[in-house]
Amino acid sequence: MESDEEEVREERLPLSRRPEWSDVTPLPQDDGPDPVVSIAYKQDFRETMDYFRAVYRADERSSRALRLTQEAIRFNPGNYTVFLDLGFCYVWHFRRQIIESLDADLHEELDFVERIAKSNSKNYQIWHHRRWVAGKLGTDAAIKELEFTKKILSLDAKNYHAWSHRQWVLQALGGWEDELDYCRKLLEEDIFNNSAWNQRYFVVTRSPFLGGLKAMRDSEVSDTVEAIMENPENESPWRYLRGLYKDDIQSLTNDPKVSSVCLKVLSAKNNYVFALSMLLDLLCYGFQPSEEFTEAIGALRTSDSEPLDSDLGKAICHVLQHIDSMRANYWMWRKSKLPVAV
Amino acid sequence: MTTSDLPPYPPIDPTTFDLIIIGTGLPASLISASSSAAGKSVLHLDPNPFYGSHFSSLSIPDLTSFLNSHSAPHSDENLTLTTRPLFSDVEISNFAPDLLDQHLRKFNLDLSGPRVLFCADKSIDLMLKSGASQYVEFKSVDASFVGDGDGRLWSVPDSRAAIFKDKTLGLMEKNQLMRFFKLVQGHLSENENNGTENGAKISAEDLESPFVEFLSKMKLPPKIKSYPLDLLLVKVAFLVSSCDIFHVNVDYFVLFSICRIVLYAIAMADYDQENTEIHKDLLKTKDGIDRLALYNASIGRFQNALGALIYPIYGQGELPQAFCRRAAVKGCLYGKNSALVTALMRVGVGPADASDFSAKGRGVEDSGSYKGVRLASGQDIFSQKLVLDPSFTVPWPLSSSPCEQMQDTFQVLSLSDDKVKVARGICITKRSLKPDLLNCLVVFPPKSLFPEQFTSIRVLQLSSNLAVCPSGMFVLYFSALCDEVNQGKKLLHAALDALLQLLVSGNSENSSTFQSEDTEHVEPTLLWSALYIQELTKGGQIGSVSSTPMPDGSLNFNDLLDATEKLFQNMYPNEEFFWETIEPENSEDDGGLMLET
């Protein structure tokens, strides 16, 4: 359907000079009574939009109209006001209508989107269009979509559009089987990849193949604790850990693996901000610390002149005020909100 | 508000730059943007609390304060850098304080109006090329007119088609016009194609001759009295009775002399073109043709532009700000409220013996050459080069002893060669010059208002749709070149009278309010006015210090752009003035052509 031959920019023939368009009168834009004079629209872009308006108004759902929408899309207005001014969203909308009317090949359409998405991976219209096409193809498209988002993510690990699309694909079209493995692989490449941790959570909680959060919890906690020990300054596994115990604070407090990793990190006396923060929360949830914890906190004191607060929670806040000074006010407030020591 | 009232700014860091620019007028901002784009480290400061300097658009109180403070010699013992007043004879009158006082801040008044852009101007292309166009939006100037001093406005044609649709043109007159335009068109396409097609070309001799002579040769006579007077009156009477004179575009212009319209309202000549004694003021044919070409290329260039001219929403002050923003994107550091105290000169380096000081100016690069500036904040900042606002003159360093000649050169450098000034006026009115028009240009050719009027007076009316004034009001800018203050004032007052006459007569149903004896219910047409004389400076350069020009008396920015480009080339001979075409500010994913990989 779509020609793969690209016209070289310099040789582009204006639409007004193409014989196949000679029967169409282009429609200029109506900007209303007190219009702004736009100096930035290139003549060929403006002309393409004029011809588009004509076919759109006539509701001509033909193959030449489909090709015209492709030409218009290639102009890709970067300036958002240009996008709104010219009603560019109609181009995508009409393209979808033409595809339906002509019953165009949807796999070729996916290929078209892939070709333009690589250099425009943050364009909302492209992703929306992709989702529409994939939705029409149904579960058959699942593999292709997972492959596609994987490619995009290999170029830009945190592309929100790509992740969002991937999650939609999993839920709407399936393909969960290898997702946890994919997350694990990403984390092997970069343990700090927060998007991968996020996706891991998504899979663990929603995959119909894994049995749910509670069933997965133990193995996940083990993996997470391992990640924490490798890089205690990595905030992602700490957050993940809390997530694993969402809506089940008691289990968090009671899990010896959690309190033990805090103690280990504190004892190492390096990159312990998150460990302290976790321990503080555990205390607030009712955790009963052993002597080892008190000693570990005592060892972290920066100035020996100050006596260690008998209340461990207060002592922790005190340390945090110093080592996380950007949030000193927050830690002061936490101190004021501590439950009274029994 | 003085600088001392403001909280102390953090010190500028780093303290060495390639270039320091003082003042954020349009030329300075262009240099800033271009230098930054070329990779220079630039510090751009302005002593005012706003950007734009003499090119800015200000509220009534800010404009008043700026004009007043820049018309008196600045006496500040801390300032060792001399400033000179560039405005004089400032007359500001508020005729409707009750009405205006609540709206004082709702104005964006140009300090250097009237000023518009032609759609095919160099400044437009520069804005597109540099990316500054993302920050400015324009609206159309609806129409242009020539005023005749008798209260009539004659339409300037906005298209060749309009001329030929005209019913009152005789066949002979149409033929003359056709021949003329064919010749001009042929000449222009000649130059583009470098080939001879019909041989329709203007000779080199003609090109150097005064434009008015050429037009005469083309049978487009300048003098209205070349028409038999009774025939003229008959034609006028016929027109007045047969059509609504204020709503029809071009049916009657030819009677007012095509030549005068071409000279003053299309080619925008400043001086009287029939005063053949002062040859230097005569527009040459080649320049006249160029201006005609600019006008012609401007018409129809942009959709929604009704004629050749457009104006930026929020006022001319948007333009320097747009370029400053581009400069900032490229790394330029900005500071407002940064008053300059003095330029720091290198001392004690160079020829030990003053007699070594060669006439070739070798001494400029050695002893006494520029090294940096001292700011009012007390900080010293150093740079290779300095660009100064036109209000500064740089005194020679106190400790070294240059020859007198160098000192004079420096000070004289920045002043205009022939002491020409611009007389400017601003009015705020409650009515439009033409009932159904919002924005328009009116030109009063030389001698149209009074016999000694040797220069054209141009008037620009802007309405609230440009966000320059509150709804229901209009702003009028007018200017004319003059040789001295009294002449300038006379020009301004004559223009003011003519404009008031137009405002009253054009709204004759309401004229009773203006003429009314009952002063309690009089609603003044003219709400506020400001008249002032502005010095012209051409800008210039000595060693590493440059001075930017003041706004000139032209209607567009072309001459200022040329002067700025020249300054830039002198500063950085190896760099091009805005060489790169810049993509929109958005992320690289959203900009430019969508490539298929």
Side-chain angles (χ1 to χ4, degrees), chain B residues 315-456:
Chain B
Q316 292 293 346
E318 293 299 292
L319 295 175
Q321 287 187 77
F323 285 102
C324 285
R325 195 160 159 186
R326 285 320 291 169
V329 164
K330 292 290 171 178
C332 178
L333 196 65
Y334 271 87
K336 284 189 288 195
N337 292 306
S338 299
L340 182 67
V341 171
T342 188
L344 302 169
M345 310 301 255
R346 207 164 283 119
V347 162
V349 178
D353 182 354
S355 64
D356 273 344
F357 200 87
S358 83
K360 284 203 181 114
R362 213 187 98 245
V364 177
E365 265 67 52
D366 297 329
S367 134
S369 63
Y370 165 78
K371 65 173 181 174
V373 296
R374 174 162 297 156
L375 305 177
S377 62
Q379 205 181 356
D380 288 346
I381 315 276
F382 304 97
S383 69
Q384 298 275 319
K385 293 186 196 286
L386 176 70
V387 170
L388 285 174
D389 192 86
S391 41
F392 291 103
T393 54
V394 184
W396 214 256
L398 307 168
S399 39
S400 75
S401 48
C403 56
E404 287 300 315
Q405 155 199 2
M406 294 302 278
Q407 193 166 7
D408 288 334
T409 316
F410 212 141
Q411 300 217 346
V412 164
L413 185 69
S414 331
L415 290 174
S416 174
D417 290 335
D418 30 33
K419 307 284 188 192
V420 178
K421 306 176 206 301
V422 185
R424 298 196 195 275
I426 310 175
C427 288
I428 299 172
T429 65
K430 282 224 78 176
R431 297 186 194 109
S432 169
L433 289 170
K434 284 273 217 170
D436 290 337
L437 282 184
L438 295 176
N439 312 313
C440 60
L441 181 76
V442 176
V443 179
F444 291 113
K447 296 203 258 193
S448 62
L449 295 182
F450 58 95
E452 299 83 30
Q453 181 199 345
F454 292 123
T455 53
S456 228

Side-chain angles (χ1 to χ4, degrees), chain B residues 280-296:
Chain B
K280 71 168 175 66
D281 298 332
L282 293 183
L283 193 64
K284 284 195 186 161
T285 300
K286 65 176 181 191
D287 295 325
I289 298 287
D290 281 345
R291 293 186 188 190
L292 223 63
L294 173 64
Y295 191 82
N296 198 43

Side-chain angles (χ1 to χ4, degrees), chain A residues 6 9 29 31 34-40 46 70 73-76 78-79 112 115-116 119-120 122, chain B residues 124 128 133 137-140 302-305 310 313 465 586 588-597:
Chain A
E6 303 308 332
R9 289 286 311 134
Q29 186 180 345
D31 286 319
D34 183 20
V36 163
V37 174
S38 192
I39 64 176
R46 178 183 290 287
Q70 183 177 345
I73 284 165
R74 284 179 67 221
F75 279 107
N76 184 31
N79 187 329
F112 164 63
R115 282 198 301 274
I116 55 178
S119 49
N120 298 276
K122 294 184 185 170
Chain B
I124 300 281
L128 288 168
S133 56
E137 286 194 307
F138 297 90
K139 282 200 178 161
S140 181
F302 299 123
Q303 204 171 340
N304 298 331
I310 55 178
I313 304 177
N465 82 330
N586 302 335
E588 74 276 11
D589 294 323
D590 292 334
L593 192 63
M594 193 183 289
L595 300 169
E596 301 198 23
T597 51

Side-chain angles (χ1 to χ4, degrees), chain B residues 434-489:
Chain B
K434 284 273 217 170
D436 290 337
L437 282 184
L438 295 176
N439 312 313
C440 60
L441 181 76
V442 176
V443 179
F444 291 113
K447 296 203 258 193
S448 62
L449 295 182
F450 58 95
E452 299 83 30
Q453 181 199 345
F454 292 123
T455 53
S456 228
I457 303 174
R458 288 186 286 265
V459 183
L460 179 68
Q461 173 182 287
L462 300 175
S463 71
S464 57
N465 82 330
L466 287 163
V468 296
C469 60
S471 173
M473 297 188 198
F474 297 85
V475 184
L476 292 172
Y477 296 100
F478 44 106
S479 75
L481 294 178
C482 59
D483 288 332
E484 51 88 35
V485 164
N486 291 327
Q487 191 190 60
K489 274 306 172 82

